[in-house]
Amino acid sequence: MLAFPSVAPFRLDQVTAAPLLMAVLFAAQLLLAAAMAWAGVRQRTSCWWAAALALVALVGLFFTLASWGNSDTTKLSYYFSFDLSRVRGEAFWVLVAPLVVRLPYRMSAVHGLVVAGYALAPLLLAWRWRAPAWAGWWSLLICCSPLLRNFLQNGVSRQALATLLLVPLLLWAGQLTEVRRRWGALAALLSLTMHTAFAGSLTLALLPGLLARRTTTLALLRRRLHRPAGAITLVAVAALVAGLALLLALALPTAVEKLAVYVQQESYFNKYPLDPAVGRLQAAMLLGVLLTCWWRRLSWRALLSCGVTRQLILFGLLYHLMQWSVQAVWFPQITSRLADVVGLFLLIVYLAWLNRYQCHWAVLPALFVTVDYWLIERLLPSRLLSCGLDDNFLCVPDRWPWQIRYWDLPSR
C-alpha cells in the first residue's frame, strides 16, 4: 500500500475521469432548472419544491464526486482521522471531524453538502423575492460561476461554508431582504468557528451597511432599550458580545499566525480572478445592468440614489481591486483567498439589484457565459484529465465508498 504523500498533489490513485457521468448529472440539473421555471410560471408550488429539492441533491452529488481528486479535500479526509492540528483555531471542524471520517467519501461529501448550501441559498431568495421561475437558473449561476472557482472547484470547503453563513448578515446589512438580526448574528458566530479568515469576510459582509439607507445600529438599540423588554434586549446583546469576544480570543492567535505566514513566507497564490471567463462574466453582468437601465429608463441620479446600486458598485470595484492585486503581485497570497468572498457577495447583490428593478430576465447574459464556461472549459475537457497524476476537479472516485483506502496511519 502506498504511503500518503507529504506534498500536493495528495491524490495518488483511486480516481478516474468520467465525463459522460458528470455531463449526464449536469444535464439533469439543467432540466430541473427548466422544470422549476415552468412550475414557477404555472404556480405549481408542489412541483416547484420537488424540483428544487432534487436540484439541490443533484448539485450535492455532482460536487461530492467532482471534488474527490482535489488536494484540499483529500488531505483533510486523511488527517481528520488522527491529526486535527490542520484545523487549529477552527473549533467547528475539530468537533465534527469524528463525524466527517464516517461519511461516504469523507471530506468530499462535506464539500458536496457545502455546495448544496450554495445551491439552496438563491432558491430561498428567489422564493422570498417572488421570482420562483428564475430560482433554478440563479442556483446554477452561483454554483458554476468562475468567480467562485477557488471555493467550489478547488474544494476550499471550510472557507466556503464560513462565507455562506455570512450571507444573512450581508442581506441584513444591505437591506436586501428581511432577516431577523438574531439569526444573522448566530450564523455569523458559527462562521467564526469555521475559518481563520473570518475577520476579513465579516468586514466585507458588513460593508453594505455603510451604503444602505437605514437607521444606525446604535439608534435601533436605543429604541429597543426604551421598550418594556429593553432589559432583556440588553442582556441578549451583552451575551452575544461576550460570546463573540470569547470566540475571537480563541481564534485570533491562529488567525494572526496564519496572516504572518501568508505575508512573510507563503509564495503560492491562485490566479483564478484573472481567468478570461471571469472577464467575460463581468462584461455580461455589466450588459445585464445596461439592459435593465434601458428597459426601466433609469437615470444616473435614480441609480445613485438607490442603496442596492451603490452596493453593486462597491463589490464590483472591490473585485476589480482583487484582480489588480493578483496581477500586480501586491499581497496576492491574501487577496486571492478573499476574491471568492467578494465574488459571492457580488453575485448575491447583483441578483438583488435585478430583483429591485424587476428585470430578472437581464440575468440571461451572465447565465449564458456561466453555462458556456462550465460546458466548454470544465466538462468537455474533463475526458483528457490526467487523473491520479495531479489534483484535478472532475476526477471522480473509481470505486464505492466502502472500497476506499485512506492509507496507513503513521505511528504516533
Side-chain angles (χ1 to χ4, degrees):
M1 184 179 293
L2 295 173
F4 191 77
S6 58
V7 295
F10 295 109
R11 177 67 61 200
L12 291 179
D13 59 2
Q14 306 176 97
V15 288
T16 187
L20 182 59
L21 169 65
M22 304 311 282
V24 168
L25 288 177
F26 183 64
Q29 294 170 43
L30 292 174
L31 289 175
L32 286 170
M36 292 179 67
W38 175 85
V41 170
R42 298 295 183 90
Q43 298 183 342
R44 303 289 181 85
T45 303
S46 57
C47 293
W48 188 91
W49 279 109
L53 293 176
L55 177 62
V56 171
L58 265 184
V59 168
L61 174 61
F62 184 98
F63 279 87
T64 293
L65 298 176
S67 67
W68 176 249
N70 290 340
S71 279
D72 275 11
T73 53
T74 302
K75 69 180 180 183
L76 289 177
S77 291
Y78 175 68
Y79 285 113
F80 265 9
S81 60
F82 70 97
D83 181 11
L84 297 181
S85 65
R86 304 271 170 165
V87 288
R88 185 164 51 92
E90 300 172 1
F92 176 84
W93 298 107
V94 173
L95 291 174
V96 302
L99 174 62
V100 171
V101 297
R102 288 173 171 79
L103 293 175
Y105 300 126
R106 294 193 178 182
M107 199 63 193
S108 291
V110 172
H111 188 69
L113 292 173
V114 170
V115 186
Y118 273 71
L120 180 62
L123 299 184
L124 296 178
L125 285 175
W127 183 261
R128 186 66 177 268
W129 290 336
R130 298 181 180 179
W134 293 95
W137 304 120
W138 288 3
S139 182
L140 296 180
L141 176 73
I142 288 180
C143 292
C144 303
S145 178
L147 293 179
L148 303 179
R149 180 167 176 173
N150 193 46
F151 270 10
L152 305 189
Q153 299 172 49
N154 263 23
V156 187
S157 316
R158 288 145 50 225
Q159 189 179 4
L161 182 55
T163 303
L164 180 63
L165 286 171
L166 291 174
V167 169
L169 203 60
L170 172 81
L171 297 171
W172 171 80
Q175 289 186 300
L176 302 178
T177 191
E178 185 68 25
V179 176
R180 292 185 180 274
R181 285 186 292 276
R182 60 175 176 268
W183 294 118
L186 287 174
L189 286 174
L190 183 58
S191 173
L192 188 152
T193 68
M194 292 187 176
H195 202 267
T196 50
F198 171 81
S201 302
L202 176 65
T203 302
L204 292 168
L206 290 174
L207 280 180
L210 302 175
L211 302 176
R213 289 180 178 175
R214 64 181 304 113
T215 308
T216 64
T217 303
L218 184 60
L220 285 171
L221 180 59
R222 188 183 296 115
R223 186 184 303 170
R224 279 185 169 271
L225 291 177
H226 280 87
R227 296 178 181 178
I232 298 176
T233 300
L234 182 60
V235 171
V237 170
L240 182 62
V241 171
L244 180 61
L246 177 61
L247 289 172
L248 279 174
L250 294 174
L252 191 59
T254 303
V256 171
E257 180 184 339
K258 276 193 173 183
L259 180 62
V261 169
Y262 285 149
V263 172
Q264 299 171 8
Q265 303 176 24
E266 183 66 60
S267 59
Y268 169 79
F269 60 93
N270 70 73
K271 296 183 179 179
Y272 299 139
L274 305 180
D275 193 288
V278 172
R280 294 197 300 271
L281 179 58
Q282 289 172 303
M285 292 172 70
L286 177 59
L287 176 59
V289 170
L290 294 176
L291 288 171
T292 301
C293 292
W294 170 75
W295 186 259
R296 295 298 182 192
R297 301 184 182 276
L298 299 173
S299 65
W300 282 108
R301 187 184 298 274
L303 283 173
L304 294 179
S305 66
C306 172
V308 185
T309 302
R310 294 195 295 271
Q311 295 171 55
L312 184 60
I313 294 172
L314 169 67
F315 283 112
L317 291 177
L318 279 175
Y319 197 85
H320 275 293
L321 181 62
M322 299 289 178
Q323 291 175 305
W324 171 84
S325 170
V326 173
Q327 189 170 27
V329 196
W330 191 77
F331 295 113
Q333 312 95 306
I334 298 172
T335 55
S336 66
R337 289 173 167 85
L338 289 175
D340 288 54
V341 179
V342 178
L344 174 62
F345 294 166
L346 174 60
L347 289 169
I348 294 293
V349 173
Y350 180 66
L351 295 177
W353 188 86
L354 294 178
N355 181 70
R356 165 72 175 78
Y357 293 104
Q358 291 296 295
C359 280
H360 303 115
W361 55 267
V363 78
L364 289 175
L367 180 65
F368 174 80
V369 168
T370 300
V371 173
D372 175 74
Y373 155 78
W374 198 249
L375 290 173
I376 304 302
E377 298 186 29
R378 304 304 289 164
L379 283 178
L380 289 182
S382 67
R383 67 185 188 279
L384 304 175
L385 292 176
S386 55
C387 297
L389 301 178
D390 202 354
D391 51 341
N392 285 312
F393 182 71
L394 289 172
C395 284
V396 306
D398 66 354
R399 62 199 72 189
W400 296 106
W402 54 87
Q403 298 173 324
I404 297 294
R405 305 187 313 273
Y406 289 96
W407 296 276
D408 289 325
L409 298 183
S411 57
R412 303 195 182 192

PDB file of all heavy atoms in Angstrom, residues 13 183-184 267 276 354 375 398:
ATOM      1  N   ASP A  13      -4.053   7.639  -6.262  1.00  0.00           N
ATOM      2  CA  ASP A  13      -4.796   6.646  -7.039  1.00  0.00           C
ATOM      3  C   ASP A  13      -6.278   6.764  -6.697  1.00  0.00           C
ATOM      4  O   ASP A  13      -6.716   7.757  -6.141  1.00  0.00           O
ATOM      5  CB  ASP A  13      -4.260   5.233  -6.756  1.00  0.00           C
ATOM      6  CG  ASP A  13      -4.368   4.870  -5.277  1.00  0.00           C
ATOM      7  OD1 ASP A  13      -4.888   5.706  -4.491  1.00  0.00           O
ATOM      8  OD2 ASP A  13      -3.943   3.783  -4.906  1.00  0.00           O
ATOM      9  N   TRP A 183     -30.856  35.725  13.961  1.00  0.00           N
ATOM     10  CA  TRP A 183     -30.416  34.603  13.141  1.00  0.00           C
ATOM     11  C   TRP A 183     -29.150  34.965  12.373  1.00  0.00           C
ATOM     12  O   TRP A 183     -28.247  34.146  12.206  1.00  0.00           O
ATOM     13  CB  TRP A 183     -31.515  34.173  12.183  1.00  0.00           C
ATOM     14  CG  TRP A 183     -32.718  33.611  12.870  1.00  0.00           C
ATOM     15  CD1 TRP A 183     -33.993  34.099  12.836  1.00  0.00           C
ATOM     16  CD2 TRP A 183     -32.773  32.468  13.734  1.00  0.00           C
ATOM     17  NE1 TRP A 183     -34.830  33.340  13.607  1.00  0.00           N
ATOM     18  CE2 TRP A 183     -34.108  32.326  14.173  1.00  0.00           C
ATOM     19  CE3 TRP A 183     -31.810  31.554  14.180  1.00  0.00           C
ATOM     20  CZ2 TRP A 183     -34.499  31.301  15.025  1.00  0.00           C
ATOM     21  CZ3 TRP A 183     -32.208  30.539  15.030  1.00  0.00           C
ATOM     22  CH2 TRP A 183     -33.532  30.421  15.440  1.00  0.00           C
ATOM     23  N   GLY A 184     -29.081  36.211  11.908  1.00  0.00           N
ATOM     24  CA  GLY A 184     -27.861  36.656  11.236  1.00  0.00           C
ATOM     25  C   GLY A 184     -26.670  36.637  12.173  1.00  0.00           C
ATOM     26  O   GLY A 184     -25.564  36.236  11.788  1.00  0.00           O
ATOM     27  N   SER A 267       4.332  31.802  -0.682  1.00  0.00           N
ATOM     28  CA  SER A 267       4.538  32.373  -2.012  1.00  0.00           C
ATOM     29  C   SER A 267       3.437  31.963  -2.994  1.00  0.00           C
ATOM     30  O   SER A 267       3.293  32.572  -4.052  1.00  0.00           O
ATOM     31  CB  SER A 267       5.900  31.939  -2.584  1.00  0.00           C
ATOM     32  OG  SER A 267       5.970  30.520  -2.671  1.00  0.00           O
ATOM     33  N   PRO A 276      -9.886  34.374 -18.211  1.00  0.00           N
ATOM     34  CA  PRO A 276     -10.715  35.062 -19.219  1.00  0.00           C
ATOM     35  C   PRO A 276     -12.214  34.886 -18.990  1.00  0.00           C
ATOM     36  O   PRO A 276     -12.997  35.794 -19.299  1.00  0.00           O
ATOM     37  CB  PRO A 276     -10.269  34.414 -20.530  1.00  0.00           C
ATOM     38  CG  PRO A 276      -8.871  33.949 -20.275  1.00  0.00           C
ATOM     39  CD  PRO A 276      -8.839  33.533 -18.832  1.00  0.00           C
ATOM     40  N   LEU A 354     -31.220  43.117  -9.725  1.00  0.00           N
ATOM     41  CA  LEU A 354     -32.158  42.762 -10.788  1.00  0.00           C
ATOM     42  C   LEU A 354     -33.569  42.616 -10.231  1.00  0.00           C
ATOM     43  O   LEU A 354     -34.552  43.011 -10.873  1.00  0.00           O
ATOM     44  CB  LEU A 354     -31.729  41.467 -11.470  1.00  0.00           C
ATOM     45  CG  LEU A 354     -30.406  41.506 -12.250  1.00  0.00           C
ATOM     46  CD1 LEU A 354     -30.088  40.129 -12.819  1.00  0.00           C
ATOM     47  CD2 LEU A 354     -30.462  42.539 -13.374  1.00  0.00           C
ATOM     48  N   LEU A 375     -19.601  24.219 -19.541  1.00  0.00           N
ATOM     49  CA  LEU A 375     -19.632  23.147 -20.542  1.00  0.00           C
ATOM     50  C   LEU A 375     -18.331  23.063 -21.345  1.00  0.00           C
ATOM     51  O   LEU A 375     -17.752  21.987 -21.493  1.00  0.00           O
ATOM     52  CB  LEU A 375     -20.806  23.360 -21.500  1.00  0.00           C
ATOM     53  CG  LEU A 375     -22.203  23.150 -20.926  1.00  0.00           C
ATOM     54  CD1 LEU A 375     -23.262  23.553 -21.949  1.00  0.00           C
ATOM     55  CD2 LEU A 375     -22.412  21.695 -20.508  1.00  0.00           C
ATOM     56  N   ASP A 398     -13.073   6.051  -8.359  1.00  0.00           N
ATOM     57  CA  ASP A 398     -13.217   4.908  -9.268  1.00  0.00           C
ATOM     58  C   ASP A 398     -13.769   3.681  -8.548  1.00  0.00           C
ATOM     59  O   ASP A 398     -13.757   2.589  -9.092  1.00  0.00           O
ATOM     60  CB  ASP A 398     -11.875   4.577  -9.919  1.00  0.00           C
ATOM     61  CG  ASP A 398     -10.845   4.076  -8.912  1.00  0.00           C
ATOM     62  OD1 ASP A 398     -11.128   4.100  -7.692  1.00  0.00           O
ATOM     63  OD2 ASP A 398      -9.750   3.675  -9.337  1.00  0.00           O
TER      64      ASP A 398
END
